[in-house]
Amino acid sequence: MDLTRDPHYSIRDAADSVREYNHRTIDGPEPFYGEHQLINYAPPATGEAVGALYALFERLPQAVDQTAAAVRHVEEQQAIRMANGDEPSEAVSRLLRDLIDAKQSILLAQTHLRSAVQVSSNMAGHWLDDDQLEDADTNA
């Protein structure tokens, strides 16, 4: 964790990580099969992905709040001018309302993801004996 760089880079890195995940999984579930490409590895791996999504959404409300606090501070210092000519105070009001609405949506998503974690944390693949593993169709 690099606490010396500009804060927006941290959020950009998180977005890039989600984009990487999307690219890895866009063509199907095979990336969840693990190093040896075993479908039995996929249930807990997908459960881990659900848990990671929940962790991401769990941290977002604080990020939204702290971003809103920074916007309010900058406005209080009268350091904002709008390139499009809008009145800064009106624009900031709209921005803060949108951030509040976004936070509420994130909290709702958290509720659904928490439920998904409860289900997915119990998922596991079938156990295979060594001799069954040799004969198994590992690519489903």
Side-chain angles (χ1 to χ4, degrees):
M1 184 176 349
D2 182 359
L3 298 177
T4 62
R5 64 186 179 153
D6 289 342
H8 66 275
Y9 287 121
S10 299
I11 297 297
R12 294 250 179 240
D13 285 351
D16 286 343
S17 291
V18 171
R19 184 172 184 238
E20 176 186 336
Y21 173 87
N22 290 344
H23 280 273
R24 280 278 285 134
T25 59
I26 195 168
D27 291 326
E30 289 78 12
F32 293 105
Y33 290 4
E35 174 184 355
H36 300 291
Q37 287 297 292
L38 299 173
I39 194 169
N40 291 353
Y41 187 79
T46 57
E48 287 291 328
V50 172
L53 283 169
Y54 176 70
L56 174 66
F57 274 76
E58 194 174 47
R59 289 169 175 84
L60 288 175
Q62 181 179 358
V64 171
D65 284 345
Q66 290 173 199
T67 302
V71 169
R72 282 191 297 276
H73 174 78
V74 173
E75 181 198 24
E76 289 167 1
Q77 300 304 310
Q78 298 179 352
I80 300 173
R81 76 167 175 82
M82 300 298 295
N84 63 0
D86 285 355
E87 176 61 36
S89 62
E90 291 175 17
V92 168
S93 291
R94 283 194 317 268
L95 169 60
L96 293 174
R97 180 73 242 165
D98 288 340
L99 288 173
I100 289 168
D101 291 346
K103 181 181 173 184
Q104 291 304 312
S105 295
I106 292 165
L107 292 171
L108 179 60
Q110 268 185 24
T111 300
H112 294 290
L113 287 167
R114 186 179 309 112
S115 178
V117 165
Q118 291 169 347
V119 174
S120 66
S121 66
N122 288 298
M123 294 181 356
H126 292 285
W127 291 106
L128 295 176
D129 293 332
D130 287 339
D131 60 334
Q132 290 175 307
L133 186 58
E134 291 173 10
D135 298 330
D137 179 5
T138 59
N139 291 321

